[in-house]
Amino acid sequence: MDVHYLLQLVLNGLFVGAFYGLVALGYSMVYGIIKLLNFAHGDIYMLGAFAGYTMLTIGAGALGGGSIVALVVILVIAMVLTGTVGLVLERVAYRPLRSAPRLSVLITAVGASFALEYGVAVGYGPNPRVYPVGFGNGAVDIFGARLTYAQLFMMLVALGLMIGLDMFIRRTRSGRAMRAISQDPKACLLMGINVDNVISRTFFIGSALAGAAGVMAGAYYGKVDFLMGFIIGLKAFTAAVIGGIGNLRGAVLGAIVLGLLESFGTALLGSEWRDVFAFGFLILFLTVRPTGLLGERVTERV
Amino acid sequence: MTDKRLDSSTPDEPSGFVRALDERGDATVGTVGQGLAPATTRRANPVSRLIGHPAFGWIVIALAVALPFINSSAYAIRISTDALIFIMLAVGLNVVVGYCGLLDLGYAAFFAIGAYTSGVLSTTFGWPIVLTVPFVIVAAVIGGLIIGGPTLRLRSDYLAIVTLGFGEIIRITANNLDFTGGPNGVYGIPDFGDFGDYRADIATYWIVVVVVGLAVLASSRLGRGRLGRAWRFVREDEDAAEAMGIHTYKVKFAAYVTGAIFGGLGGVLFAVHQTAISPPSFNFLFSALILMAVVLGGMGSTPGVVVGAVIISLLPELLRGAENWRYLIFGILLIVVMIFRPQGIWPHRTDEKPARGGRRRSRTDATEVSQ
Amino acid sequence: MTSTAFSQSGTRAKAPVLLHVDGLTVAFGGVTAVNGLSFDVHEGEVISVIGPNGAGKTSAFNCITGFYKPTAGRILFDDVDITGKRPALIAARGVARTFQNLRLFGELSVLDNVRAGMHVRIRQNAFDAILHTPRYRRSEQEATDEANRWLDFVGSRGNRAAEVRNLPYGEQRRVEIARALAREPKMLLLDEPAAGLNHGEKAALLDLLRRISDLGTAVVLIEHDMGLVMDVSERIVVLNYGKEIADGTPEQIRSDPAVIEAYLGSDDAEAQQEAERVAHSSDTGGFHDLPTPEEER
């Protein structure tokens, strides 16, 4: 194995990791704040891809067919749309169950995932749709490894969104409220924080990020289908667990680790084992270090 | 107050609290010292009462056995066998989800393990199906160990997503390996044996009736015994269960492995019934449908789950060609049920029977009692 | 004050040590909830652990019952080291508890809740249950009878087949105690059993505590109701900031300056009045509730 090949594997891993990271962030945010595993999160990603598809199909002429500018505009609109869907989902499906047993909420999340998937299947048909945008094959050469402009562009967008989120969480009032709620929702209520609003905002942001990932995935892979969110939802969860669920920087770190692991795992075992490898790693991680790389050990209080 | 040593009342004599209650003029009408108040007068959901009635079970079994005499068309036998196998899976998953409150989203994995173990052993080595059963059980238990072992120590939501991943692992593995036949799967799986004059599918059907009948009975009885109660304690409050000396990890593990065995055995029946199996039969959709049967029927309620399973498995026969719509409605239904009727359509009843005498009269519906 | 006369005679103090807590320390992050706590509980003794909110009482309970892992220190029960053991194993050794905020199995019947306490004693396995063997029938019968007896013992009335969450609050408290008693514990830990009870119910609780003690069970009580504490305890351990500041008979505690100081601070007219009231609340008629703590978490 030569150095170029290894570098290529690293770049591939980073690229895939950037996608996982965007989705994992939403997973981790929601989990951090209301301890809910939002199974429908992967499907929000899928909705993002379909939102992009719809806009590109309808407005292909008006937008000038797949220029970077058009894609950015579509990206933003899709983010707003998916963010809104996430917000509505929380309002309709999860909020009524906030004090219900965890099992009920998990089952509701599965139901939501199902409803989104097959809602799209009803609307768009079960067959994959081809994304009406293509990227050129232009690429940069980094010490012999190839990174296409498209990949580079997407990684930069992902990086920008992640940095933006980090600043938002750390610097703004809203972000502070989110962190506070993840510590102690009851106390926040007493302190006059509008907990419902903050939770809505969390869902909006998390879903918007997943939507962005969806649009980019559609554009990059050129194909979307209604089940595309299933596997990535699982992977994003794996990434969140690796990093320490509830910890946002951890989610990104976990996503990069998972991306790299997959990249190297695929090189060693063949792509047909990629998913098995990733989930096997999830189980291994939960056995050895369930709190993740950056997670703290928390005593469950009685 | 005098010296408490001297003033002690005997354990069986109600005192203090009772007096206090009298003072308050408590509205609760109850009896002290008589054990359970028989609840013969309680109203119960008529459907719940019907399907919860012991005779109902026997009638269903009699009908199931008699089916080939009523309608022996290959189609009727096939969909009935499918429905029965689905019942087996649903009552198995009910142990995990309904009794113990653990969400298993990859239940089809155990179904696959059972079907493949049985299918591969019988086709590759020419073993009779019955001989493969112990191996199926071992394989299912090992699967349960691998997934349950690390995950059941953690918060319950981890189990949900890990099982989801496990379901995918099993399916993809079956798809990738050579000895499982790759994407083509395993075919030419033999019948249970030669039954002379009887049609093979009808013979298989009857065997399935017997096995599934026993499985339903076993799961229902398990739910009422010591272990079954421990499962419910864990579901309700793990900490409180621990405080009572219940080793919650072991108890959860028992539920998970029990579910795994039911799933594995269901897989054997499936393999024989289908004679050919392939990876797509064991996808997430299938796991989700089993869960749907359990949730709609009423988690923890054996009769409810059986009815739920029959509905979910026969619905496609009635609504052909509208699959996506059907699943969309299922998804919405899951949300609606959880919000408005989390106990399911036919809820579990506390099933308390008086200490003495028959149980028919005394079954009570606590949900109703409370309202 | 006749009720405490017995403990003053000191005969109970000579009973063998059942629970030995030595240098118990629990820290959460930077907060030390319990700091070097040491005390003993003798067989059959009734003691109370009191202290202002956040003094570490519940944390100490949680360590003894295995729900928290102590940062340092040792806990011996019945001469066996139970430090950091799993709650279930500790419970199986004969420690039962109730929780500050009721922790019943809400959707299960009253009887099933009490049967939980008997779980480790019921002789029956899964195959007995599936096959309905005579052993199964016998053990279920015994469990039901015994559950009924414990419910009678605590004076629970009302429908025992009903879901426990639908019972009135006071009744639920009683069921929780019945459940703990069904464990047949050598030591029973009660975390604020009087919280939320009305006058009559408190009187009944006092009576119940005496009858529990008569069973030979050691009772350790966390309680804010001073009347109840003074009335029922043979000995009182006072905590403040996770440390023991006093340990003695109710009389000794009542006049202990450190205790009064801890509860009320100093030179404050209102506080002095409070102190008076604490000091003079000797029977349940004069009980005085200290502010109910926000869950001690």
Side-chain angles (χ1 to χ4, degrees), chain B:
Chain B
M1 302 266 174
T2 51
D3 189 320
K4 62 187 175 186
R5 295 281 138 189
L6 300 175
D7 192 34
S8 62
S9 46
T10 59
D12 286 331
E13 188 184 301
S15 56
F17 276 134
V18 180
R19 284 200 301 274
L21 277 168
D22 289 338
E23 272 169 38
R24 280 194 316 162
D26 197 303
T28 320
V29 182
T31 42
V32 175
Q34 292 180 5
L36 181 74
T40 43
T41 55
R42 317 247 178 248
R43 291 170 300 107
N45 172 347
V47 182
S48 261
R49 200 162 46 191
L50 173 69
I51 65 171
H53 199 279
F56 182 77
W58 291 112
I59 292 169
V60 170
I61 290 176
L63 279 175
V65 172
L67 175 85
F69 300 110
I70 301 162
N71 183 348
S72 67
S73 70
Y75 171 74
I77 298 295
R78 182 172 58 75
I79 63 166
S80 306
T81 313
D82 280 338
L84 283 166
I85 294 171
F86 202 73
I87 289 173
M88 170 119 184
L89 296 175
V91 295
L93 185 63
N94 185 40
V95 170
V96 185
V97 179
Y99 292 162
C100 205
L102 303 167
L103 188 52
D104 186 340
L105 292 176
Y107 195 62
F110 295 112
F111 186 54
I113 288 175
Y116 268 99
T117 307
S118 193
V120 168
L121 289 176
S122 62
T123 54
T124 314
F125 303 108
W127 293 9
I129 289 292
V130 178
L131 198 61
T132 66
V133 170
F135 292 87
V136 166
I137 292 175
V138 170
V141 170
I142 291 173
L145 275 168
I146 294 172
I147 296 308
T151 331
L152 290 172
R153 293 183 196 280
L154 308 170
R155 272 172 63 107
S156 52
D157 3 16
Y158 282 91
L159 183 75
I161 199 128
V162 170
T163 49
L164 191 60
F166 180 60
E168 286 301 289
I169 289 182
I170 293 294
R171 189 178 59 80
I172 298 169
T173 305
N175 200 53
N176 291 349
L177 291 176
D178 286 333
F179 76 91
T180 56
N184 298 326
V186 180
Y187 42 86
I189 298 164
D191 286 320
F192 285 107
D194 186 11
F195 292 91
D197 292 344
Y198 290 103
R199 237 168 62 194
D201 60 340
I202 294 179
T204 303
Y205 170 78
W206 272 327
I207 289 172
V208 171
V209 169
V210 171
V211 173
V212 173
L214 290 175
V216 171
L217 188 68
S219 89
S220 153
R221 285 184 165 186
L222 257 183
R224 269 182 250 145
R226 177 175 176 267
L227 182 59
R229 271 198 303 272
W231 285 335
R232 290 174 211 264
F233 298 149
V234 167
R235 181 190 70 198
E236 294 291 317
D237 190 331
E238 271 193 51
D239 288 332
E242 274 278 339
M244 291 297 112
I246 295 162
H247 197 299
T248 51
Y249 177 66
K250 284 185 192 164
V251 165
K252 286 193 275 186
F253 207 78
Y256 196 64
V257 168
T258 305
I261 293 172
F262 272 79
L265 294 178
V268 177
L269 300 179
F270 181 75
V272 173
H273 171 53
Q274 297 288 324
T275 73
I277 49 174
S278 62
S281 308
F282 308 102
N283 57 11
F284 170 66
L285 187 62
F286 194 70
S287 296
L289 287 178
I290 306 169
L291 178 70
M292 208 90 69
V294 173
V295 172
L296 293 187
M299 289 181 279
S301 145
T302 303
V305 166
V306 169
V307 174
V310 170
I311 291 175
I312 296 281
S313 79
L314 294 184
L315 214 55
E317 303 301 325
L318 305 174
L319 299 169
R320 285 197 166 277
E323 268 164 31
N324 295 328
W325 275 106
R326 199 169 74 230
Y327 297 139
L328 171 62
I329 292 164
F330 278 170
I332 294 169
L333 211 54
L334 269 187
I335 302 174
V336 171
V337 167
M338 280 298 110
I339 293 175
F340 297 105
R341 202 175 162 82
Q343 70 274 38
I345 299 167
W346 303 281
H348 171 72
R349 311 190 287 168
T350 51
D351 204 28
E352 207 60 81
K353 46 198 169 209
R356 308 120 199 127
R359 68 168 197 236
R360 203 158 303 168
R361 276 288 161 87
S362 59
R363 292 193 158 201
T364 57
D365 187 330
T367 321
E368 297 294 327
V369 167
S370 64
Q371 282 154 7

Side-chain angles (χ1 to χ4, degrees), chain C:
Chain C
M1 260 160 259
T2 43
S3 62
T4 50
F6 186 84
S7 55
Q8 281 172 331
S9 70
T11 46
R12 288 297 273 289
K14 293 202 177 69
V17 171
L18 182 64
L19 177 78
H20 177 67
V21 178
D22 185 20
L24 182 69
T25 301
V26 195
F28 301 113
V31 185
T32 307
V34 181
N35 192 355
L37 176 66
S38 302
F39 70 99
D40 287 347
V41 177
H42 301 267
E43 282 177 14
E45 195 177 26
V46 179
I47 84 163
S48 292
V49 178
I50 64 170
N53 296 334
K57 304 179 296 288
T58 298
S59 294
F61 254 39
N62 282 338
C63 281
I64 295 167
T65 49
F67 285 94
Y68 291 171
K69 301 242 180 296
T71 319
R74 224 158 57 103
I75 304 165
L76 299 183
F77 182 76
D78 234 3
D79 297 327
V80 179
D81 192 340
I82 55 165
T83 321
K85 288 264 174 3
R86 199 188 170 86
L89 299 178
I90 294 171
R93 292 211 156 273
V95 180
R97 70 171 292 176
T98 64
F99 293 86
Q100 195 172 351
N101 318 307
L102 285 171
R103 296 287 288 269
L104 287 165
F105 306 115
E107 288 182 20
L108 304 185
S109 72
V110 173
L111 277 175
D112 263 347
N113 269 275
V114 181
R115 287 185 185 116
M118 282 171 254
H119 182 82
V120 295
R121 288 188 283 122
I122 297 174
R123 294 272 155 255
Q124 171 203 122
N125 63 33
F127 296 102
D128 289 327
I130 293 176
L131 301 173
H132 274 196
T133 59
R135 189 156 79 139
Y136 168 78
R137 289 170 198 278
R138 199 178 338 110
S139 58
E140 286 295 301
Q141 180 70 64
E142 284 167 9
T144 307
D145 291 347
E146 200 187 320
N148 277 315
R149 280 206 303 278
W150 284 117
L151 286 164
D152 293 345
F153 182 81
V154 300
S156 168
R157 30 195 277 155
N159 188 353
R160 292 175 183 180
E163 284 182 40
V164 75
R165 61 176 172 178
N166 296 316
L167 298 184
Y169 184 78
E171 190 73 15
Q172 291 193 20
R173 283 239 171 245
R174 237 165 270 169
V175 174
E176 203 192 21
I177 295 174
R179 183 179 71 179
L181 285 172
R183 180 64 283 284
E184 290 191 342
K186 290 178 190 155
M187 181 172 78
L188 176 63
L189 304 175
L190 299 171
D191 198 346
E192 297 195 24
L197 297 189
N198 65 28
H199 183 101
E201 288 171 326
K202 277 181 187 172
L205 175 66
L206 180 66
D207 178 69
L208 176 63
L209 289 174
R210 296 220 164 101
R211 287 187 294 118
I212 292 171
S213 175
D214 291 336
L215 298 172
T217 302
V219 179
V220 184
L221 200 64
I222 290 179
E223 191 44 71
H224 282 277
D225 182 328
M226 282 306 141
L228 187 72
V229 166
M230 292 295 165
D231 229 12
V232 80
S233 317
E234 292 165 36
R235 203 154 54 80
I236 298 174
V237 175
V238 189
L239 300 189
N240 198 18
Y241 296 112
K243 282 189 173 153
E244 183 189 287
I245 58 169
D247 181 346
T249 63
E251 277 68 29
Q252 289 161 351
I253 296 302
R254 205 171 288 163
S255 52
D256 191 317
V259 176
I260 296 171
E261 162 107 20
Y263 262 90
L264 310 158
S266 45
D267 53 60
D268 178 340
E270 207 179 323
Q272 286 301 327
Q273 278 182 352
E274 294 259 328
E276 294 288 295
R277 281 166 66 188
V278 170
H280 292 117
S281 55
S282 55
D283 58 24
T284 42
F287 62 80
H288 165 68
D289 256 344
L290 289 161
T292 319
E294 208 263 316
E295 292 169 55
E296 210 170 277
R297 278 180 155 249

Side-chain angles (χ1 to χ4, degrees), chain A residues 109 198 232:
Chain A
V198 177
I232 195 148

